[in-house]
């Protein structure tokens, strides 16, 4: 073994591929019984590989400028080429998101693992990295093992979905070794809401045709009301700003101006209940009316303030859902603890990639492409380190 990769998610497998293409003998150590479990779980509802948009637009979605050259080297175009090179047919949806035609992660992963095996990459499962002691120490089915590779690439993920392997157990190990680490926080997550009883019939309902606004960002995506709160793509798009303190508001009629909403509310209510009057005047569906009652009580009587409430309804929540439930995590190894090659300055010969680095991006293909790009960069740099 020349090179050790710890973690068999997308970033780790891409690093292993880069090392193997450079002629290195590679072993991948994975703590779980099978590789890429989070990748497979994310792909169950349709694997969003990347997004078909100009590179400048694509890189602007990330919170870290230092990722730009890595994404220029392996961005949306290269991600599509890589997948089709594995025999996976792709299509681009109406929003620019790129998916496998099969809408699953498993065919791509099978083809990728077969390719890596043909290149000589060895995969060790149920190998849990537990520390540093004159080498990399693992708990394995055969007992404790210590490996001393020439180079190592860490691809251990963040702290979201720990049951699938990204349990952040690496944080104290690297912290004790002198690596700077920003605290892990939930990203692309939902928010807790203490609903009143009248909202129970709407649990599981998708909210469509609304706009969420926070920190200067506007999201028109769909989201879902759950017994615990709100979640879904529309919420995730503004979640970073809300997590960091921005107020969240809901526009129940985003296709109508405030003036138009006000004009419709000037129509006589007659003998209609307030709910029926609003339904007829603005064509609000039951879930929108329920949200207006939930977060807008007491409803203002004059049409002007009521129109304002409908166009800017404060979303009352009690903060982000836990990190374990988040789609991804923010925080991780600080850029200042890494060289340009993503080598840890505190641990020469050890590189890091993927979600364990301190960067953040929204859902929509950005997360996976970012992991692949950093994995490729770290793997190639590790190969040059010999």
């Amino acid at each position: 073994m020349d090179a050790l990769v710890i973690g068999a998610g997308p970033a780790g497998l891409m690093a292993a591929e880069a090392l193997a293409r450079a002629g290195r003998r590679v072993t991948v150590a994975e703590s779980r019984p099978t590789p890429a479990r989070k990748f497979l779980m994310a792909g169950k509802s349709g694997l969003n590989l990347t997004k078909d948009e100009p590179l400048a637009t694509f890189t602007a979605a990330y919170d870290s400028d230092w990722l730009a050259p890595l994404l220029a080297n392996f961005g949306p175009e290269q991600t599509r080429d890589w997948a089709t090179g594995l025999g996976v047919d792709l299509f681009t949806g109406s929003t620019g998101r790129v998916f496998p035609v099969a809408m699953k992660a498993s065919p791509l992963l099978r083809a990728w693992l077969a390719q890596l095996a043909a290149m000589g990459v060895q995969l060790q499962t149920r190998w849990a990295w537990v520390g540093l002691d004159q080498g990399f120490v693992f708990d394995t089915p055969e007992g404790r093992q210590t490996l001393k590779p020439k180079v190592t690439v860490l691809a251990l993920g963040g702290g979201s979905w720990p049951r699938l392997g990204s349990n952040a157990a690496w944080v104290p190990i690297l912290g004790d070794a002198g690596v700077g680490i920003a605290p892990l926080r939930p990203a692309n997550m939902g928010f807790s809401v203490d609903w009143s009883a009248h909202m129970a019939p709407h649990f599981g309902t998708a909210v469509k045709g609304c706009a969420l606004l926070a920190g200067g960002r506007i999201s028109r995506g769909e989201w879902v009301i759950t017994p615990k709160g709100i979640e879904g793509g529309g919420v995730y798009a503004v979640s970073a700003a809300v997590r960091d303190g921005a107020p969240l508001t809901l526009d129940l009629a985003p296709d109508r101006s405030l003036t138009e909403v006000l004009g419709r509310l000037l129509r006589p209510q007659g003998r209609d209940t307030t709910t029926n009057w609003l339904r007829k005047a603005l064509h609000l569906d039951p879930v929108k009316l329920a949200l207006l009652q939930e977060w807008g009580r007491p409803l203002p009587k004059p049409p002007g303030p009521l129109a304002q409430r409908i166009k800017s309804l404060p979303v009352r929540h009690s903060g982000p859902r836990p990190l374990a439930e988040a789609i991804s995590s923010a925080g991780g190894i600080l850029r200042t603890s890494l060289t340009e090659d993503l080598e840890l300055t505190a641990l020469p010969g050890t590189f890091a990639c993927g979600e364990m680095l301190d960067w953040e991006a929204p859902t929509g293909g950005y997360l996976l492409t970012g992991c692949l790009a950093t994995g490729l960069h770290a793997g190639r740099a590790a190969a040059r380190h010999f």
Side-chain angles (χ1 to χ4, degrees), residues 63-67 170 180-185 329-336 338 353-360:
D63 72 337
S64 303
D65 293 342
W66 60 268
L67 283 172
W170 55 269
I181 301 170
L184 297 180
R185 300 180 294 160
S329 56
I333 298 173
L334 294 171
R335 179 65 185 84
T336 52
L338 300 161
C353 58
E355 199 178 336
M356 66 189 302
L357 303 181
D358 183 20
W359 60 276
E360 185 175 0

Side-chain angles (χ1 to χ4, degrees), residues 268-285:
Q269 182 173 343
R271 301 176 67 178
D272 282 331
T273 65
T274 300
T275 296
N276 280 334
W277 172 58
L278 290 171
R279 177 179 58 80
K280 293 176 181 178
L282 294 169
H283 306 293
L284 299 182
D285 60 31

Side-chain angles (χ1 to χ4, degrees), residues 191-195 226-230 294-295 315-319:
F191 291 85
S192 298
V193 177
D194 185 15
W195 299 112
T226 75
K228 296 179 180 179
I230 57 176
E294 180 73 8
W295 289 328
V315 176
R316 296 196 296 268
H317 63 88
S318 53

Side-chain angles (χ1 to χ4, degrees), residues 112-134:
W112 196 8
L113 292 174
Q115 181 188 77
L116 292 172
M119 297 168 69
V121 174
Q122 301 293 316
L123 175 62
Q124 298 285 357
T125 57
R126 295 187 174 90
W127 276 49
W129 182 40
V130 294
L132 295 165
D133 186 7
Q134 299 182 7

Side-chain angles (χ1 to χ4, degrees), residues 5-17 112 153-157 352-356 359 368 370-379:
V5 177
I6 306 179
L13 294 178
M14 183 58 81
E17 179 178 334
W112 196 8
V153 179
L154 304 178
L156 291 149
C353 58
E355 199 178 336
M356 66 189 302
W359 60 276
L368 182 53
C371 286
L372 295 172
T374 57
L376 179 66
H377 189 82

Side-chain angles (χ1 to χ4, degrees), residues 315-348:
V315 176
R316 296 196 296 268
H317 63 88
S318 53
R321 296 296 303 162
L323 174 58
E325 298 178 14
I327 299 298
S328 59
S329 56
I333 298 173
L334 294 171
R335 179 65 185 84
T336 52
S337 289
L338 300 161
T339 69
E340 294 294 325
D341 284 339
L342 302 184
E343 183 179 11
L344 296 172
T345 55
L347 295 169

